[in-house]
Amino acid sequence: MIDTSLFLDVDCRQISKYGQHVCGDAFRSQKLSSENRVITVLSDGLGSGVKANILSLMTATMALKFFAANRDIRRASEVIMESLPMCQVRRISYATFSIVDAVMHGSTRIVEQGNPPYLLIRNGECVPVEHTTMTMSSGGDERKLRLSHLEMQPEDRLIVFSDGVSQAGLGSTHWKLGWRVEGCAEFVLGRIAADNHISARQLAREIVEEAVRKDPNQIAKDDISCAVHYFRRSRRALLMTGPPFDRRRDRELALRLELFQGRKAVCGGTTSNIIGRELDRKVITRLGGRRGDLPPVCSIDGIDLVTEGILTLTRVASILEAHETDFKFDAAGRLAELLVDSDQIELLVGTRINEAHQDPSLPVDLEIRRNIIKRIAAALRDHYLKEVSIEYI
């Protein structure tokens, strides 16, 4: 039976080789909503620095377009190899790649060339996967493709990484042969055992940080990238901001929040006061919890997060648009984390004019709440592949 509640949480963490300003690995993702499909590509360019970045970025971009268009795998791979610029030192054009083509509630296809084999974590174990091999040729150079087809289940994780992870610590006293795929798998199993619901973002970050720790000097001797695909049942979140246009709908607003099944966030002093009044609950300001230059968070019984409105939302929009991976523990960071760790996000936006935001000396972003909400929604869809809906009230 098809499980229609399955959602793919995917994120990637990267660290550049020590001394380099750009990463020689590239990660790209695309969600094809009409096909209920998510495609990701992790590519590792030859060498490091700018040249490797060009190779990997070209590879990832072309692979994403070819797979989205359902082109022949072998021919697409050959075109990619033929299109790469030649390395003037080694006289070869080369970039590895791992492609995950996941159809929700259907089969997932994985195509690998040159990267370490991916990990499939299921029911607390690293599960071996059968694959077929396909030979492709480019300029007389033959390379092997590994092809796999899987039926994903809830709580499955697919983990792909560059050789910066598997070769971490290579040549050191404790890791003469590197961390290897087996070492990474052991670490992953331990982390999942400690936290069954660890997010893709958090797990990818911890894998990369652990790889860096394998080096005696705690530095990245190579570009290090890890992408985690977490197939899970959808997590819902509701973000409510702004009072409704008609004051007679205040009660309706509060009841919708009360009855919502999932995580709940309220942004805005007026909005939080409406919720507190209509649900007969106190709004408590946590002055001791203020961090940075944003107003402190508040609390209302039954609500996961209560913050100030426009300033916090503007900061959240900037965080999400920059695709930041480490969130501060201020109001904006906590709200961004709540959104990123959810899958289906409902944004309920009140349309009553807030007189406090009509001061022409205030930034343009403060004038219209709905523009900020649109920025947040677009970033969540484009960068984090979330399902987002906006409703104005």
Side-chain angles (χ1 to χ4, degrees):
M1 179 179 295
I2 294 176
D3 187 346
T4 57
S5 66
L6 209 58
F7 184 90
L8 177 55
D9 171 35
V10 58
D11 213 326
C12 181
R13 176 74 169 184
Q14 296 180 300
I15 292 181
S16 301
K17 179 180 178 180
Y18 179 75
Q20 298 291 343
H21 297 293
V22 296
C23 186
D25 301 340
F27 177 77
R28 290 292 181 270
S29 62
Q30 182 178 357
K31 186 171 186 176
L32 305 176
S33 299
S34 61
E35 303 177 37
N36 208 12
R37 182 177 168 206
V38 175
I39 305 171
T40 68
V41 184
L42 176 62
S43 177
D44 181 354
L46 179 69
S48 59
V50 175
K51 289 191 295 183
N53 178 264
I54 293 172
L55 292 169
S56 63
L57 191 57
M58 286 184 62
T59 299
T61 301
M62 287 189 289
L64 201 61
K65 291 184 177 181
F66 284 142
F67 269 69
N70 296 310
R71 298 294 178 85
D72 177 75
I73 295 174
R74 175 184 285 141
R75 182 55 189 150
S77 300
E78 290 173 349
V79 169
I80 290 172
M81 292 299 110
E82 292 167 359
S83 302
L84 296 178
M86 183 76 68
C87 174
Q88 297 303 313
V89 177
R90 305 188 193 184
R91 306 305 304 169
I92 58 174
S93 60
Y94 188 79
T96 65
F97 56 80
S98 298
I99 305 169
V100 177
D101 185 0
V103 179
M104 294 296 94
H105 331 309
S107 63
T108 293
R109 179 174 55 165
I110 301 99
V111 180
E112 304 170 281
Q113 193 276 309
N115 276 344
Y118 66 88
L119 301 176
L120 170 61
I121 309 299
R122 174 176 292 168
N123 298 325
E125 297 180 354
C126 189
V127 180
V129 179
E130 292 184 0
H131 67 270
T132 58
T133 301
M134 177 186 294
T135 301
M136 66 171 186
S137 61
S138 173
D141 183 20
E142 288 193 350
R143 297 171 191 166
K144 303 291 184 181
L145 294 177
R146 295 193 303 266
L147 311 177
S148 309
H149 286 83
L150 305 173
E151 296 294 330
M152 305 309 296
Q153 302 175 11
E155 299 304 312
D156 281 356
R157 289 176 174 85
L158 273 177
I159 302 170
V160 301
F161 42 83
S162 63
D163 59 10
V165 171
S166 58
Q167 295 181 9
L170 184 67
S172 64
T173 302
H174 296 291
W175 306 96
K176 293 183 178 180
L177 299 178
W179 195 19
R180 309 184 73 180
V181 174
E182 295 79 8
C184 179
E186 183 179 356
F187 174 79
V188 169
L189 292 176
R191 285 300 297 117
I192 294 175
D195 181 1
N196 288 331
H197 303 296
I198 185 171
S199 67
R201 179 178 61 88
Q202 182 67 20
L203 184 56
R205 183 177 70 179
E206 293 191 17
I207 292 171
V208 169
E209 290 175 349
E210 185 67 19
V212 173
R213 281 194 287 268
K214 298 306 176 190
D215 182 80
N217 298 315
Q218 308 284 287
I219 61 175
K221 292 291 185 62
D222 191 7
D223 300 302
I224 300 176
S225 299
C226 177
V228 176
H229 306 71
Y230 180 15
F231 295 79
R232 66 189 186 195
R233 300 191 189 281
S234 293
R235 299 176 182 176
R236 300 178 66 214
L238 171 64
L239 188 158
M240 183 177 291
T241 181
F245 181 81
D246 188 342
R247 286 178 169 81
R248 291 173 294 182
R249 301 187 69 180
D250 285 359
R251 181 65 176 170
E252 175 190 340
L253 187 78
L255 289 177
R256 286 191 60 175
L257 187 71
E258 174 75 358
L259 298 175
F260 181 79
Q261 298 296 312
R263 302 185 72 185
K264 310 169 190 180
V266 175
C267 297
T270 303
T271 313
S272 59
N273 287 333
I274 290 173
I275 300 301
R277 183 188 70 230
E278 297 295 333
L279 298 181
D280 192 24
R281 298 174 189 171
K282 291 183 179 181
V283 180
I284 302 173
T285 302
R286 304 294 183 185
L287 293 175
R290 177 167 181 163
R291 293 169 180 262
D293 57 348
L294 291 176
V297 299
C298 301
S299 65
I300 300 175
D301 285 346
I303 311 301
D304 295 281
L305 184 63
V306 181
T307 76
E308 177 275 338
I310 298 298
L311 288 171
T312 302
L313 290 172
T314 302
R315 183 70 57 81
V316 169
S318 298
I319 290 171
L320 298 177
E321 287 169 343
H323 203 175
E324 294 184 17
T325 55
D326 295 324
F327 301 137
K328 296 180 180 179
F329 197 69
D330 59 8
R334 291 174 62 180
L335 179 55
E337 185 164 20
L338 183 150
L339 296 173
V340 169
D341 285 343
S342 302
D343 305 318
Q344 296 177 319
I345 302 162
E346 298 179 27
L347 305 176
L348 185 57
V349 186
T351 57
R352 189 189 311 170
I353 296 296
N354 188 335
E355 292 80 4
H357 298 157
Q358 301 312 300
D359 185 343
S361 67
L362 293 176
V364 174
D365 271 336
L366 300 186
E367 294 180 3
I368 306 176
R369 178 185 289 108
R370 70 185 70 190
N371 286 346
I372 302 171
I373 289 296
K374 288 178 180 178
R375 288 173 55 194
I376 290 174
L380 287 169
R381 293 190 187 108
D382 297 342
H383 298 319
Y384 300 92
L385 309 181
K386 304 300 182 182
E387 297 177 9
V388 187
S389 64
I390 304 177
E391 179 182 349
Y392 299 100
I393 183 172

